[in-house]
Amino acid sequence: MEQGAWSQLWLAYEKRQDRGAGAYVADVALNGFSGEHRTVKRALEELQAGIRGMLGIEGYRLRETAEATLVLKRGTGADQEIQKEGFCLLEKDGVLTVEAADESGLLYGVAGLLRLIAMEKSLAGICSLSNPSSPLRMYDHWDNMDGSIERGYSGHSFFFRENEVLVDGRTRDYARLVSSVGINGVVINNVNVKQAATWLITDRYLDKVRELAELFEDYGIRLFLAVNYASPIELGGLESADPLDLEVQGWWRDRIAQVYQAVPSLGGFLVKADSEGRPGPFTYGRTQADGANMLARLIEPYGGLILWRCFVYNCTQDWRDRKTDRAKAGYDSFIGQDGDYLDNVILQIKNGPMDFQIREPVSPLFGGMRKTNQMLEVQVAQEYTGQQIDVCYLIPLFREVLDFDTYCQEDNALVSDIISGHTFGNQNTGIAAVCNTGDDFNWTGSDLAAANFYGFGRLAFCHGLTAEEIAEEWIRLTLSNEEEVVRKVKKILLCSREVYEKYTSPLGIGWMVTPNTHYGCSVDGYEYSRWGTYHRADHLGIGVDRSMRGTGYAGQYQKPNAERYDSLQDCPEELLLFFHRVPYLHRLKSGKTLIQHIYDTHFEGVEEVEEMIALWESLKESISGEVYDRVRERMDRQLENAREWRDQVNAYFYRKSGIPDEKGREIY
Ligand code: GCW
């Protein structure tokens, strides 16, 4: 297998202790699968690389349908519990079976087996079934064709350079990595589709797109493209992109036919419309459903999907306007057409109503919409959460979103149920994340940010995994199986989200970041701007009243969430300032005043970063030098960032409120 100048991350297949796996893996039978199938070939290649690297076994004997100690078997039979893309690992009487319903499942099964070997787990008596929780499990890349990455913190794009599409060893390793954790869809280009990227759906690029799509297909991944809603104007020279205009429809019909002729396996299109300056159906007085359905109808004959983003809000708000509430915009723009969307449209909803803040309530579109296919969008790229300088393990945040009960019906009403298709019995559902990769040696800038890259895929495949389980897997696969390393790195990862929250914006209010770059503190950075992201602090208090007495946002939820959020007493405290305007001397459940809570958490946040650093330093001997150094260097930057946040936030609120810190610590 081609190896390049980049890390193999969790597929490094370094030497492991053999806990008995060696006894099975050298004698392999394919039962019901063809060794000629492209994905089976990849699964076998991976098995080969894995056992050679980890167990020192040079090769295996492969037999078709004969008995062997490792049987790769197609699961058929009516009593099968194995579903599409699922697999089962079973050991009985000295025979290990990887059973799968299809080739993708086999690939995932082999990855699952190699994971266990890498974690030095015994396979004796194993019986474990893994079916994917969500049908669609996607990474969205915000890569631009000039090679830059919007909100990228790990170097340049490995999909594009100088307006060309790249298909090489790195893209293959990317496909290996993400498929090994269960990703089955990838959008390669930024949702802000401009310039050259608009041309991705034309002959200029379609040959290369096909090459990449075929590479992905080997690994059970469907390639998707983000498209420019104004393509009929920009590419076709039409005067309009009105979805109800017959000429516009005709243009798209021809374009889509040509796209699918060139790339038959294309998954479909992702569309950011009427959002942050991108064109969309609103320009023509049409609804989001009009826009999405027009494309969906035309792409349907090819089996394509339209993933339509719900990130629609007014980004030219006047900060003086206290009635308009950005948090309400997504729901208001989409709820009216619930039920109008065609079945091959999936609405892609950011986890919160604002924008990937460290703490937000879950978007009320989940649970609000009942007759529309939905998928969740989270951000693995750490735009607002430390930009892969600060450690911020995001799986606990994603877990909270999945576990959120929308109360849209009595049972099966968690976000996890909705995006699994259990709530409404629909097929076209899923989960997507904005990816955090680039062409840095280690893919993710910070080596610890790879835990998010790995973890999102694992969580998407198996909603039942805990953040701790995923962290442990990643540490064992990537850093070490040494118990001390596992324990300490787990501690760092698992506390990191709360630590980040402590030294940044308090209690769900969000933002307070440096405008544009979104790294570092600027308490009023967005306070008097057009983006609708205000904290409204004055000398008496802080927060936005989103109760029914305020903007009414709380009313977008189902009961009892609506009531809980509406009430100052019952509102979950971590979201207090998102929903309520609160005086500085308001007593929290801890008995502390709000202002004291702000001071305390900011001092604690910095202290906890120092503790994280000490923990990391105690592992110097056990972690490879380069990884150790890269992380250690970033931790210095994190500490500096945390101090700056602490001092600016504390000084800001001390100066506004005039209330001193009870503990008399230094505030400037
Ligand atoms: O968070 C904002 C980002 C933009 C991004 C946008 C979106 C791709 O700051 O960079 O644009 O969200 O999600 O569309």
Side-chain angles (χ1 to χ4, degrees), residues 99-394:
E99 203 172 339
D102 46 38
E103 285 78 11
S104 292
L106 183 68
L107 185 70
Y108 301 148
V110 167
L113 169 62
L114 292 173
R115 231 175 356 249
L116 292 172
I117 297 176
M119 292 192 288
E120 299 179 346
K121 302 275 187 227
S122 157
L123 300 170
I126 191 170
C127 175
S128 104
L129 174 70
S130 303
N131 285 317
S133 303
S134 274
L136 208 51
R137 306 172 299 279
M138 303 198 43
Y139 264 133
D140 292 0
H141 290 263
W142 287 355
D143 291 26
N144 299 315
M145 292 202 66
D146 63 3
S148 63
I149 301 177
E150 182 151 352
R151 312 305 177 188
Y153 312 105
S154 325
H156 292 98
S157 174
F158 46 75
F159 290 124
F160 307 110
R161 186 189 306 135
E162 293 171 10
N163 294 332
E164 293 301 332
V165 179
L166 306 176
V167 186
D168 55 23
R170 183 125 200 189
T171 31
R172 178 167 298 277
D173 278 348
Y174 167 81
R176 293 176 52 229
L177 284 164
V178 300
S179 74
S180 78
V181 290
I183 295 292
N184 65 356
V186 172
V187 184
I188 56 172
N189 63 310
N190 188 357
V191 286
N192 290 326
V193 188
K194 298 177 191 168
Q195 289 120 17
T198 302
W199 293 81
L200 273 170
I201 53 172
T202 69
D203 289 346
R204 195 189 285 181
Y205 294 114
L206 282 172
D207 281 345
K208 268 308 211 196
V209 172
R210 175 180 48 235
E211 213 181 311
L212 189 53
E214 284 179 355
L215 186 157
F216 280 180
E217 250 185 289
D218 281 5
Y219 293 94
I221 299 166
R222 273 192 298 169
L223 186 148
F224 289 72
L225 293 173
V227 296
N228 182 339
Y229 192 78
S231 297
I233 302 173
E234 292 183 32
L235 297 176
L238 304 191
E239 279 179 3
S240 155
D242 181 349
L244 302 194
D245 182 322
L246 293 180
E247 217 186 338
V248 170
Q249 293 174 9
W251 186 87
W252 274 114
R253 180 176 295 109
D254 293 346
R255 186 68 0 241
I256 288 171
Q258 287 171 36
V259 168
Y260 272 90
Q261 195 183 12
V263 193
S265 69
L266 190 80
F269 296 152
L270 172 65
V271 190
K272 170 176 178 175
D274 291 309
S275 170
E276 300 185 329
R278 302 316 299 144
F282 281 170
T283 310
Y284 309 97
R286 312 298 182 196
T287 64
Q288 296 296 300
D290 291 331
N293 288 344
M294 180 267 292
L295 291 173
R297 207 168 280 123
L298 299 172
I299 211 170
E300 196 272 336
Y302 308 95
L305 294 172
I306 297 298
L307 314 177
W308 192 268
R309 294 178 87 226
C310 295
F311 189 51
V312 175
Y313 70 100
N314 172 10
C315 67
T316 55
Q317 192 180 330
D318 184 341
W319 59 269
R320 297 167 193 85
D321 164 12
R322 290 173 161 251
K323 293 251 154 47
T324 306
D325 180 3
R326 170 167 165 180
K328 293 173 71 178
Y331 185 93
D332 286 344
S333 306
F334 285 88
I335 201 73
Q337 285 82 47
D338 185 24
D340 293 351
Y341 293 88
L342 293 176
D343 192 47
N344 62 328
V345 176
I346 310 182
L347 295 189
Q348 185 163 310
I349 307 166
K350 286 194 185 190
N351 61 274
M354 296 297 265
D355 193 10
F356 301 137
Q357 302 302 293
I358 189 68
R359 182 79 67 175
E360 279 183 57
V362 170
S363 168
L365 278 169
F366 289 113
M369 283 188 302
R370 289 146 195 261
K371 291 173 282 185
T372 302
N373 295 326
Q374 297 161 57
M375 64 193 278
L376 168 67
E377 178 182 311
V378 296
Q379 196 182 38
V380 163
Q382 289 172 241
E383 174 179 359
Y384 294 99
T385 53
Q387 305 202 346
Q388 287 141 243
I389 298 166
D390 301 28
V391 188
C392 194
Y393 178 56
L394 290 163

Side-chain angles (χ1 to χ4, degrees), residues 357-569:
Q357 302 302 293
I358 189 68
R359 182 79 67 175
E360 279 183 57
V362 170
S363 168
L365 278 169
F366 289 113
M369 283 188 302
R370 289 146 195 261
K371 291 173 282 185
T372 302
N373 295 326
Q374 297 161 57
M375 64 193 278
L376 168 67
E377 178 182 311
V378 296
Q379 196 182 38
V380 163
Q382 289 172 241
E383 174 179 359
Y384 294 99
T385 53
Q387 305 202 346
Q388 287 141 243
I389 298 166
D390 301 28
V391 188
C392 194
Y393 178 56
L394 290 163
I395 307 303
L397 190 162
F398 304 160
R399 269 242 62 89
E400 278 170 20
V401 177
L402 292 179
D403 292 340
F404 180 74
D405 196 339
T406 67
Y407 295 105
C408 66
Q409 57 183 38
E410 223 160 88
D411 307 308
N412 287 328
L414 307 184
V415 170
S416 153
D417 297 317
I418 294 175
I419 64 167
S420 304
H422 298 153
T423 309
F424 306 121
N426 47 348
Q427 303 281 317
N428 285 332
T429 60
I431 180 166
V434 180
C435 200
N436 64 351
T437 50
D439 72 355
D440 277 0
F441 172 81
N442 67 0
W443 301 79
T444 53
S446 163
D447 293 76
L448 295 181
N452 292 326
F453 181 34
Y454 174 86
F456 169 75
R458 293 287 291 134
L459 187 65
F461 195 89
C462 182
H463 294 181
L465 288 171
T466 66
E468 181 173 356
E469 284 165 336
I470 294 174
E472 172 150 354
E473 280 185 6
W474 176 78
I475 297 163
R476 289 185 182 277
L477 293 177
T478 324
L479 295 177
S480 167
N481 273 312
E482 247 179 73
E483 292 309 322
E484 192 196 358
V485 176
V486 173
R487 187 166 43 81
K488 290 182 174 172
V489 178
K490 215 156 74 172
K491 200 163 168 195
I492 292 174
L493 291 176
L494 289 174
C495 75
S496 61
R497 186 261 184 130
E498 263 171 59
V499 170
Y500 186 82
E501 181 178 33
K502 279 185 175 178
Y503 62 76
T504 58
S505 61
L507 300 179
I509 192 76
W511 313 93
M512 302 190 179
V513 289
T514 309
N516 307 319
T517 67
H518 300 169
Y519 187 77
C521 181
S522 173
V523 179
D524 280 341
Y526 277 114
E527 196 55 19
Y528 304 101
S529 69
R530 62 187 173 90
W531 296 94
T533 56
Y534 315 115
H535 57 66
R536 306 232 167 93
D538 63 13
H539 66 297
L540 297 173
I542 171 176
V544 180
D545 184 355
R546 294 196 166 99
S547 73
M548 299 312 287
R549 298 158 303 284
T551 71
Y553 169 73
Q556 293 185 339
Y557 289 88
Q558 311 296 309
K559 284 181 188 169
N561 287 332
E563 289 156 349
R564 279 174 71 214
Y565 290 146
D566 194 55
S567 147
L568 181 65
Q569 266 63 49

